[in-house]
Amino acid sequence: MVQSTHKETQNEESLPGTVPSSEPAPPPSSPTFEKPWREIPWGDRDRDLKYVQHYKPSKGSVKHLRVMLYGPVGSGKSSFINSVSSILRGRMAIPAAVSAATSEISFTTKYETHKIEREDGFYPLVFNDIMGLEDGTNTGVQTEDIKLAMMGHVMDTYLFNSKSPLSSGCLGYNKNPSADDRCHILVCVISANTAETKPSVLQKMKTVREAARDLGIPQVCILTHIDEACGITESNLKNVYHSKYIKRKIEELSSTVGFPMNCIFPVKNYSEEHRLDNDIDSLILDALQSIINFGDDFIKKL
């Protein structure tokens, strides 16, 4: 019978004249990369902000770029809108209602358009918040309603019905949508602090992505709650692109949902802060620039 290696080592050490092994245990693997796997201009917040402030849709007939957010319940869609609004207004703002309580039921129930104020009126950039995707059938927002919203057929303040989608002729249906009513870029929002996304929710996300693809609408993904999911990122937000954990989450997200790596942006939404923070702003503005660029490319094709 062959004895275990451990026992063999013990027997060898007990023999006279043998030298005990002095090889050190391998050091634990570092949770960070020495160099960041993605570079962003941390010190150029004001430059990034001016880029957004000076944006105008490239087609004169389109008054604003419409950004539509969707994703699982509790992923931070409304908080992302509030964070963008806070940065652009230079102070904390909460145009979208949010809930701090953990729930599997969507807190957002209406199709709402959020405009962001500035001195001369509003930014030419609007955000649409919708009901969250929930696990199971006849729960949360209907994927058909998301498709109708992308095409501009859903009127503002429409109350979503989890049991049946909006249909032509019903109250809240926009029969003749304009180019301004259409979604110009679709943003999927997912939490990095969720262990796994339920299969039924993943299937709904796939259905929405395919519908946007067929409509030619560009898509990006926002990965939220990165500070809650990763300790080294929580201690210093600038560690986000040094973090092996965050990179692995983005790789998993790319594999399961299908977004290219360079279309996934990790961010921290404003939650407990009562003043603006340059590092939080830098991540959100970096994502916002790509959202504007991709959305404006779509506007040019209209």
Side-chain angles (χ1 to χ4, degrees):
M1 181 179 294
V2 179
Q3 294 179 319
S4 69
T5 304
H6 176 65
K7 288 184 178 180
E8 286 175 357
T9 303
Q10 283 185 323
N11 290 339
E12 288 174 0
E13 290 175 350
S14 63
L15 293 174
T18 58
V19 180
S21 174
S22 59
E23 291 185 7
S29 176
S30 171
T32 60
F33 296 105
E34 184 177 346
K35 294 182 178 181
W37 51 271
R38 181 185 290 175
E39 296 279 359
I40 72 164
W42 290 103
D44 291 335
R45 173 197 177 276
D46 291 341
R47 187 198 67 178
D48 295 343
L49 181 58
K50 286 180 181 178
Y51 182 90
V52 179
Q53 290 173 333
H54 294 162
Y55 167 72
K56 291 182 180 179
S58 57
K59 228 173 190 179
S61 58
V62 177
K63 296 178 182 178
H64 51 245
L65 187 153
R66 186 176 297 275
V67 183
M68 196 172 89
L69 282 68
Y70 79 104
V73 171
S75 57
K77 299 180 292 297
S78 301
S79 294
F80 181 74
I81 293 173
N82 290 342
S83 296
V84 170
S85 181
S86 297
I87 294 169
L88 296 185
R89 297 187 67 183
R91 63 167 179 81
M92 287 298 163
I94 48 171
V98 296
S99 173
T102 303
S103 174
E104 294 183 355
I105 299 175
S106 179
F107 188 70
T108 301
T109 57
K110 294 180 180 179
Y111 183 71
E112 294 185 87
T113 299
H114 296 282
K115 299 178 180 180
I116 303 175
E117 292 183 27
R118 64 181 184 186
E119 290 183 1
D120 59 348
F122 295 94
Y123 280 90
L125 182 71
V126 300
F127 290 83
N128 277 108
D129 198 9
I130 67 172
M131 193 178 195
L133 295 170
E134 297 177 16
D135 185 28
T137 56
N138 294 328
T139 57
V141 65
Q142 292 271 341
T143 55
E144 187 61 29
D145 279 343
I146 300 178
K147 183 176 179 180
L148 289 173
M150 286 191 283
M151 294 188 290
H153 289 299
V154 179
M155 290 184 178
D156 202 33
T157 72
Y158 168 72
L159 184 65
F160 290 107
N161 184 346
S162 297
K163 307 301 179 185
S164 63
L166 179 66
S167 59
S168 177
C170 291
L171 187 67
Y173 185 89
N174 181 10
K175 187 177 180 181
N176 299 304
S178 67
D180 275 318
D181 296 325
R182 295 184 61 178
C183 163
H184 303 132
I185 181 163
L186 184 68
V187 178
C188 178
V189 182
I190 300 179
S191 172
N193 202 32
T194 302
E196 63 176 357
T197 305
K198 300 289 180 62
S200 67
V201 176
L202 281 174
Q203 181 55 49
K204 291 175 183 180
M205 291 167 67
K206 180 183 177 183
T207 301
V208 173
R209 274 183 50 75
E210 290 174 348
R213 175 204 62 195
D214 294 343
L215 292 169
I217 298 172
Q219 306 173 56
V220 299
C221 180
I222 298 293
L223 184 68
T224 59
H225 302 150
I226 57 174
D227 55 318
E228 298 174 17
C230 175
I232 63 167
T233 301
E234 182 180 29
S235 63
N236 185 349
L237 205 56
K238 289 181 179 178
N239 285 332
V240 59
Y241 289 124
H242 286 271
S243 169
K244 292 181 179 179
Y245 177 82
I246 296 297
K247 186 171 189 286
R248 186 166 65 249
K249 289 292 289 187
I250 290 177
E251 288 171 341
E252 291 171 358
L253 188 56
S254 178
S255 174
T256 56
V257 186
F259 290 98
M261 290 273 289
N262 62 357
C263 290
I264 302 175
F265 301 91
V267 304
K268 170 179 164 42
N269 287 330
Y270 281 104
S271 55
E272 58 189 13
E273 301 80 9
H274 67 282
R275 293 183 182 276
L276 297 179
D277 178 274
N278 284 343
D279 293 342
I280 294 176
D281 292 359
S282 291
L283 284 176
I284 293 175
L285 287 170
D286 182 59
L288 193 55
Q289 281 194 55
S290 292
I291 288 172
I292 288 173
N293 290 338
F294 299 157
D296 200 66
D297 287 342
F298 179 73
I299 287 176
K300 291 174 185 176
K301 300 176 182 177
L302 292 176

